[in-house]
Amino acid sequence: MFTSVSGRSVIVTGGSRGIGKGIARVFVRAGANVVITGRDEAAATACVEELTALAESGGSAGGSVSYFLGDVARAEDCAAMAATALERNGTIDVLCANAGIFPDAKLVDMTVADMDRVYATNVKGTMLAVQACVPALARSGRGRVILTSSITGPITGFPGWTHYGASKAAQLGFMRTAALELAPMGITVNAVLPGNVATEGLAELGEAYRASMEASIPAGRLGEVDEIGYAALFFATDEAAFVTGQALAVDGGQVLPESLEALSAAGAP
Ligand code: NAP
């Protein structure tokens, strides 16, 4: 039986939709006090309303949720995010550094601005969010940092995403040294590597695209956003205190087949 994270203070950057919303939902259900972040107020408000309704309908062990608007690529916004969580919830126990963007551009067409934009959010934004929360995470005594990386970059490649793949692999490089530096403060730093997950953005790409993605996954389906949340929740427990600097792929076996033949021999639909 895992220790409850009820009452813990959790920040989920990019928690207003997609995977971040799934992570936030899992922590709210577990009774945590969650601050979600994003830049778009309409999405953040809608998410808080949805998760508050869940908490108030008895779907939570006393959890709460609120939002903070800010850009993870700006140090001052990350500092204000940490200050806001401290003011509202008294401490910061868990930071889920999840905010990320994935615009596509082939390498031959990619501009310096394209590269800078992806790196600013995915790499610098991760580092700034962690840096801003370290003092409070250290005071917590059981600080947890959980990064949302990806299978794309650390394990696989996808045309159009050289900058994105590099940024997701960079998060793991950051994680390993951060885990070393923060271990003496009682803080662990781990990463979840989602495979293809069903988000609002994916739904916009249409049924044919979804079907082709499902066909490449041995489990025969896309991941659910909450399934990324469950992996994050594990890293946040007291029982995971001795796990640090680790990357966990949550992908329904997507990276395992060595060929299309291996995939069909496994009986994938
Ligand atoms: P999404 O639906 O587009 O949501 C992205 C979230 O990040 C939103 O809340 C967005 O809010 C926020 N965000 C983006 N840029 C930001 C910035 N500069 N500052 C603050 N917040 C920002 O994306 P997703 O698919 O859930 O992806 C979330 C994470 O999972 C990313 O790190 C992504 O690389 C990773 N991932 C996703 C998949 C997948 O299948 N979906 C697979 C592997 C990895 P605003 O736009 O309002 O700022």
Side-chain angles (χ1 to χ4, degrees):
M1 188 66 174
F2 288 112
T3 310
S4 170
V5 298
S6 180
R8 303 263 166 104
S9 168
V10 178
I11 296 175
V12 183
T13 69
S16 59
R17 55 191 157 86
I19 287 175
K21 185 159 116 179
I23 296 172
R25 179 164 41 233
V26 166
F27 277 100
V28 168
R29 265 202 226 111
N33 298 311
V34 179
V35 174
I36 59 147
T37 87
R39 295 159 301 170
D40 174 34
E41 187 156 27
T45 307
C47 174
V48 165
E49 282 173 4
E50 183 185 324
L51 298 190
T52 300
L54 173 81
E56 289 176 356
S57 68
S60 161
S64 69
V65 59
S66 63
Y67 71 81
F68 170 83
L69 293 181
D71 183 343
V72 289
R74 293 165 54 93
E76 56 272 40
D77 287 11
C78 289
M81 169 190 81
T84 301
L86 276 173
E87 193 184 302
R88 289 181 193 161
N89 298 325
T91 176
I92 302 171
D93 303 301
V94 181
L95 168 67
C96 296
N98 165 82
I101 56 170
F102 31 89
D104 65 320
K106 289 280 173 54
L107 184 57
V108 290
D109 304 319
M110 194 178 288
T111 64
V112 172
D114 291 334
M115 298 178 198
D116 285 345
R117 205 170 136 236
V118 167
Y119 260 65
T121 300
N122 297 4
V123 183
K124 194 171 77 170
T126 296
M127 296 177 69
L128 289 173
V130 175
Q131 203 178 36
C133 294
V134 160
L137 289 166
R139 284 197 300 278
S140 153
R142 53 193 175 197
R144 300 281 189 273
V145 175
I146 299 138
L147 312 180
T148 307
S149 174
S150 177
I151 58 170
T152 310
I155 307 176
T156 64
F158 200 109
W161 277 344
T162 50
H163 51 353
Y164 174 73
S167 76
K168 294 281 125 179
Q171 284 183 304
L172 299 190
F174 163 75
M175 172 187 78
R176 295 190 181 99
T177 295
L180 276 173
E181 290 188 15
L182 303 183
M185 301 176 203
I187 301 171
T188 67
V189 189
N190 293 289
V192 181
L193 279 55
N196 292 146
V197 176
T199 58
E200 301 93 323
L202 188 100
E204 286 164 17
L205 298 175
E207 212 27 66
Y209 183 77
R210 183 187 175 111
S212 82
M213 286 171 75
E214 283 174 346
S216 67
I217 304 172
R221 66 173 177 86
L222 299 175
E224 299 295 331
V225 291
D226 288 21
E227 291 178 307
I228 307 306
Y230 299 137
L233 182 66
F234 164 69
F235 285 130
T237 60
D238 289 351
E239 285 75 9
F242 208 49
V243 180
T244 195
Q246 301 304 308
L248 176 62
V250 181
D251 69 345
Q254 187 173 349
V255 302
L256 299 177
E258 62 183 37
S259 64
L260 287 174
E261 194 188 345
L263 188 62
S264 61

